[in-house]
């Protein structure tokens, strides 16, 4: 998170927070609820097929990250965007939170 200019999260969803793990969307649904937002308003960064499937099933916008899975597999799982790593992500807080992908 620090690599892209974000502080450590104040709210965290861990495996003990949910009954079902990925590819079930429960983790992302719980996370959105903790943040007080709709999953439709969440952006998920995932490097696994099961994570992409979970994020998509929750209704989030999913960005695949090419750290462990080939781009084709991430896209087939539903990733809307794919980045090589987090150096392609820019975060701005000037007028609300703005996430820019250099893709």
């Amino acid at each position: 998170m620090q690599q892209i200019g974000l502080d450590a999260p104040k709210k965290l969803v861990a495996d003990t927070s949910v009954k079902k793990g990925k590819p079930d969307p429960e983790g992302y649904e719980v996370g959105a609820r903790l943040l007080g937002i709709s999953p439709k308003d969440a952006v998920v960064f995932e490097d696994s097929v099961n994570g992409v499937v979970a994020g998509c099933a929750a209704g989030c916008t999913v960005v695949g990250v090419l750290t462990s899975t080939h781009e084709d597999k991430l896209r087939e799982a539903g990733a809307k965007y794919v980045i090589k790593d987090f150096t392609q992500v820019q975060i701005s807080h000037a007028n609300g939170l703005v996430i820019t992908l250099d893709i």
Side-chain angles (χ1 to χ4, degrees), residues 61-99:
T61 298
V62 179
V63 179
V65 185
L66 296 174
T67 56
S68 63
T69 306
H70 192 272
E71 180 174 356
D72 292 345
K73 297 290 184 191
L74 295 173
R75 290 196 185 276
E76 288 170 14
K80 185 169 184 176
Y81 307 102
V82 176
I83 58 174
K84 179 181 174 188
D85 57 37
F86 287 104
T87 62
Q88 293 180 263
V89 179
Q90 301 296 319
I91 305 292
S92 171
H93 303 275
N95 295 315
L97 182 64
V98 176
I99 300 172

Side-chain angles (χ1 to χ4, degrees), residues 20-30 53-59:
K20 298 179 182 178
K22 299 170 188 174
D24 191 272
E26 182 184 10
Y28 289 116
E29 294 166 345
V30 169
V53 170
C56 290

Side-chain angles (χ1 to χ4, degrees), residues 40 45 55:
K40 295 183 302 190
F45 291 88

Side-chain angles (χ1 to χ4, degrees), residues 1-12 91 93 97:
M1 302 282 289
Q2 292 175 330
Q3 181 182 5
I4 59 172
L6 296 176
D7 295 328
K10 295 177 183 161
K11 299 178 183 187
L12 179 68
I91 305 292
H93 303 275
L97 182 64

